[in-house]
Structure formats: structure tokens, C-alpha cells
């Protein structure tokens, strides 16, 4: 597995990480614990060093899963987790990035992850009620105390990134970015490049759609959050199939899968971009990691961009409630 450095931070990780949310949360029933532990350790054996979780995934159970799975290989991996949501009786209840809450989440996450230091601590969503300077200052204190190594933001605007970075250098931004969601290219990516901040795209496979394995007839589990996402209505999926058809043609020419093409495209955008596709299946993990060996040339990239430009993606990526939590 090739390595990349997140911006100018010096934090080196595998070119492709593993997003672990879906093992416990959001995409239907949680995976079998023993099978998920085996999958996480299989990822380590294949060179993955960046593992992404959050207290809200479960809640709590995903951090506990990673804590058990990665304990034997702690020195070989980078563990990223997040703060920023309020949880009441195990349910999400708004945003909360008050300094005292950040400190409490850090302590609890350290225990669940069975580690002494959180490698990368993201603010999960920007809290409009707490100045980002206070958030960055609190994480800076945690870094000085040895409880956190690096500070990250998620779904933050360019303006917020600059304000936070002025207080405590931001190592990475984690936001959605893929062939069917390219908004970060307008102001966020230029800001990250200027400031030397790495980018960790979540949902780099469009929540599974860019794999080519989902169509208008696909049935999701009752507790799969995609059931509520406008971009995943049967009508939207039918319309968006045109994008998959375009990408599949290019992928076939390169002897790759649509998923590998989508990940290779991200890797080709910037050398400090590290996508974190998630999966619960070993063969999908191996397929995703294979993208790191695909080097797209200028003609390939032009073909991909041209294909994507011919298709207008239908449906919003978030529900209205989720969209309100995105920093603008």
C-alpha cells in the first residue's frame, strides 16, 4: 500500500483508509462483531493504516469495536475519531462543541478505543453556538496534554477552516467528495492547498452508488439512512444510473471496476487526498484497495471529467435536517 502525508502536518497514512461507520451504524443492521474485527485486521494486513470512527457511530459501539480490533497493532495505525454531537440516552440531540464537552468526549473515546492518545480528533460538525476559536483552543490544550496528536474538521467552510487554523493548525478536513459531489472544489480545496491541510473524503463511492451495484430496484434495510436521502429515491437512482454507465465504460477500458475508477480519480486530484471508503465485506475491501495501484493519465482524467459533465446528478445529498448542520 502506498503512503501519503496529510498536508504539511507530517502525518503519514495509507493512500486509502477505512471508514468504519457502516460496520455499526447507518447502513442497516450492525455487522457481526467477530467478522468486523477480522475485517479490520485484514485491512491492517493489507497495509491500511488510517481507520475512521466516531462516538456517534452506534453510538459508542464503533469506537469499542475499533478499540478491540486494533489493540494488537496500535503502533502500526492512525486512529481518527470525532466530537461535536450531543447524545442523550444514546440518541443524537443536536450539536455540542462546548470546551467541557470536547474534553469529556476525548476522555471517553480514549477509554473505548483503548489508547492513550487520539491520533486525529475531528470536530464532527461546526457548532454555530460555539466560536471555532474556542474549539481549536480546546483541542490545542488536549494536544499539549498528550491526549490528542492532530486536529481535524468535518464539513467546514473555507472561512471556518482559516479561523480554526489560525489558533491550532488543522491537519485534515473530512468532508464528502466524489465524482457525484464536487462542491469542495470551489473554495475548500484551494484553501486546503494554500494552508497545507490534508483532505479525507468520506463517501468517496457516493454511499455505494458509484460501485455500480445499486439501481432503482435495490432494497435497503429499514434502518438504512439512505431511505431518507433524496439522492436515493428510486426515481433519482434511475436517473443517476446514466453516470454509472459512463464510468463503467471507462473503467472497463482500464480493466478496473467503477468503484476503483472513482477512488483512483480522487487519488489523482491531489497527493494529499486520502479517501476512506467503508465496507463490511473482505472482497469489497480488496477491490477498493486495488484503486491505489491505478495511475490515471491526463487522457483518462479528461475522459472521466467529460463523462461526469454529461450527466446531471439528481437529488440532494442530504435531508433538510442534515443539510442544516453543514457549515456554509
Amino acid at each position: 500500500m502506498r503512503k501519503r502525508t496529510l498536508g504539511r502536518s507530517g502525518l503519514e497514512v495509507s493512500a486509502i483508509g477505512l471508514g468504519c461507520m457502516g460496520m455499526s451504524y447507518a447502513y442497516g443492521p450492525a455487522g457481526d462483531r467477530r467478522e468486523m474485527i477480522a475485517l479490520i485486521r485484514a485491512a491492517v494486513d493489507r497495509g491500511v493504516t488510517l481507520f475512521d470512527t466516531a462516538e456517534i457511530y452506534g453510538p459508542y459501539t464503533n469506537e469499542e469495536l475499533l478499540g478491540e480490533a486494533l489493540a494488537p497493532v496500535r503502533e502500526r495505525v492512525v486512529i481518527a475519531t470525532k466530537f461535536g454531537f450531543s447524545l442523550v440516552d444514546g440518541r443524537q440531540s443536536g450539536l455540542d462543541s462546548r470546551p467541557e464537552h470536547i474534553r469529556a468526549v476525548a476522555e471517553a473515546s480514549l477509554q473505548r478505543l483503548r489508547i492513550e492518545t487520539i491520533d486525529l480528533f475531528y470536530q464532527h460538525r461546526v457548532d454555530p453556538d460555539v466560536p471555532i476559536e474556542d474549539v481549536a483552543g480546546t483541542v490545542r490544550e488536549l494536544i499539549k496534554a498528550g491526549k490528542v496528536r492532530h486536529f481535524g474538521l468535518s464539513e467546514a467552510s473555507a472561512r471556518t477552516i482559516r479561523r480554526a487554523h489560525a489558533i491550532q493548525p488543522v491537519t485534515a478536513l473530512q468532508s464528502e467528495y466524489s465524482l457525484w459531489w464536487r462542491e469542495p472544489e470551489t473554495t475548500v480545496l484551494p484553501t486546503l492547498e494554500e494552508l497545507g491541510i490534508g483532505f479525507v473524503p468520506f463517501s468517496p463511492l457516493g454511499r455505494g452508488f458509484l460501485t455500480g451495484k445499486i439501481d432503482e430496484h435495490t432494497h435497503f434495510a429499514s434502518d438504512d439512512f439512505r431511505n431518507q436521502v433524496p439522492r436515493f429515491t428510486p426515481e433519482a437512482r434511475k436517473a443517476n444510473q446514466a453516470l454509472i454507465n459512463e464510468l463503467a465504460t471507462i473503467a472497463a477500458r482500464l480493466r478496473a471496476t467503477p468503484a476503483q475508477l472513482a477512488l483512483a480519480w480522487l487519488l489523482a486530484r491531489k497527493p494529499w487526498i486520502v479517501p476512506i471508503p467503508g465496507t463490511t465485506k473482505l472482497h469489497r475491501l480488496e477491490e477498493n484497495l486495488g484503486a491505489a495501484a491505478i495511475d490515471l493519465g491526463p487522457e483518462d482524467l479528461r475522459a472521466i471529467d467529460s463523462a461526469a459533465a454529461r450527466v446531471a446528478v439528481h437529488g440532494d445529498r442530504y435531508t433538510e435536517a442534515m443539510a442544516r448542520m453543514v457549515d456554509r
Side-chain angles (χ1 to χ4, degrees), residues 179 182 246-247 249-256 260-262 264-266 268-269 293-308 310:
L179 274 166
R182 298 178 63 168
E246 293 273 3
L247 298 178
T249 300
I250 300 171
R253 177 169 56 79
L254 296 171
R255 297 182 181 179
Q260 290 173 331
L261 186 75
W265 177 83
L266 279 170
R269 303 299 287 173
I294 298 173
D295 293 313
L296 298 176
E299 289 187 10
D300 300 321
L301 293 171
R302 281 194 293 271
I304 294 168
D305 284 339
S306 177
R310 288 194 292 272

Side-chain angles (χ1 to χ4, degrees), residues 255-308:
R255 297 182 181 179
T257 67
Q260 290 173 331
L261 186 75
L263 293 171
W265 177 83
L266 279 170
L267 292 171
R269 303 299 287 173
K270 298 290 179 181
W272 35 266
I273 289 179
V274 178
I276 50 168
T279 186
T280 59
K281 299 177 178 65
L282 179 60
H283 70 281
R284 293 295 178 213
L285 171 70
E286 292 177 335
E287 177 185 353
N288 292 342
L289 298 184
I294 298 173
D295 293 313
L296 298 176
E299 289 187 10
D300 300 321
L301 293 171
R302 281 194 293 271
I304 294 168
D305 284 339
S306 177

Side-chain angles (χ1 to χ4, degrees), residues 130-152:
V130 181
I132 195 64
E133 289 80 5
D134 292 351
V135 173
T138 302
V139 177
R140 181 179 60 191
E141 293 171 2
L142 290 169
I143 291 172
K144 289 181 179 178
K147 296 181 179 181
V148 171
R149 286 196 177 93
H150 295 272
F151 176 36

Side-chain angles (χ1 to χ4, degrees), residues 94-140:
L95 300 173
D96 188 350
S97 281
R98 293 171 298 147
E100 60 269 27
H101 185 68
I102 297 172
R103 289 189 285 267
V105 171
E107 294 293 346
S109 291
L110 287 168
Q111 294 298 314
R112 288 190 289 267
L113 290 166
R114 306 184 188 186
I115 56 179
E116 295 182 357
T117 307
I118 297 167
D119 296 311
L120 179 53
F121 203 30
Y122 291 104
Q123 183 188 34
H124 210 151
R125 291 292 184 272
V126 176
D127 187 341
D129 295 328
V130 181
I132 195 64
E133 289 80 5
D134 292 351
V135 173
T138 302
V139 177
R140 181 179 60 191

